[in-house]
Amino acid sequence: MSSDNLIKGRVSLKHHFYHVTTCTANRLPFFTNLQCGRLLVNEMQRLHYQQQLNSVTWVVMPDHLHWLFQLTANNSLSTVMKTLKGRSANAINCYNTAIKFAWQRGFYDQGIRHEANLKQVSRYIVANLLRAGLVANVANYALWDSIYLA
């Protein structure tokens, strides 16, 4: 599927929950560099603190991001993602101009219809670390968080 097809038919609604997946350009594993991952997380948190969204669960994989959140402002899902991608790319490229960080165009999103499914989707997102074989225990991975931590 081309990245242009990713925006066709997209609807975003205030107060709805979305699971978003977005990849680095050419799926390059920029986030194996912990500092690059932390810079992305900083920008995600900034959107949360600016009340553009309520972050629920996220995992930064080596070459992509899974993020579950609720829109809270009048911004569209596309606007939030454009802001995140622009800010994070700028921060990462300021940190290290030699790596030429970039995101792929577009992103995948899935609206969550029932709040009862949030915990299940959160578990799926975090379990990506195990399925990818990145760690044997998610506690050994630095770039993830969830409101469902006990």
Side-chain angles (χ1 to χ4, degrees), residues 71-89:
L71 287 177
T72 58
N74 289 323
N75 288 338
S76 69
L77 186 57
S78 293
T79 299
V80 166
M81 292 306 295
K82 181 178 179 180
T83 301
L84 174 70
K85 287 180 172 188
R87 288 178 178 176
S88 61

Side-chain angles (χ1 to χ4, degrees), residues 27-83:
R27 300 291 300 250
L28 293 173
F30 289 107
F31 302 122
T32 55
N33 177 316
L34 184 61
Q35 184 59 32
C36 289
R38 291 304 312 162
L39 290 167
L40 169 59
V41 170
N42 289 346
E43 295 305 332
M44 293 164 57
Q45 290 173 333
R46 186 170 154 196
L47 286 167
H48 177 87
Y49 295 135
Q50 291 175 333
Q51 300 179 348
Q52 300 298 309
L53 52 85
N54 286 321
S55 190
V56 177
T57 300
W58 52 264
V59 170
V60 178
M61 304 290 281
D63 63 357
H64 65 282
L65 166 68
H66 289 279
W67 194 12
L68 176 61
F69 60 82
Q70 178 186 35
L71 287 177
T72 58
N74 289 323
N75 288 338
S76 69
L77 186 57
S78 293
T79 299
V80 166
M81 292 306 295
K82 181 178 179 180
T83 301

Side-chain angles (χ1 to χ4, degrees), residues 2-4 6-7 22-25 85 102-108:
S2 81
S3 60
D4 291 334
L6 295 177
I7 60 172
T22 191
C23 300
T24 60
K85 287 180 172 188
W103 290 101
Q104 81 172 14
R105 193 170 168 199
F107 59 93
Y108 299 92

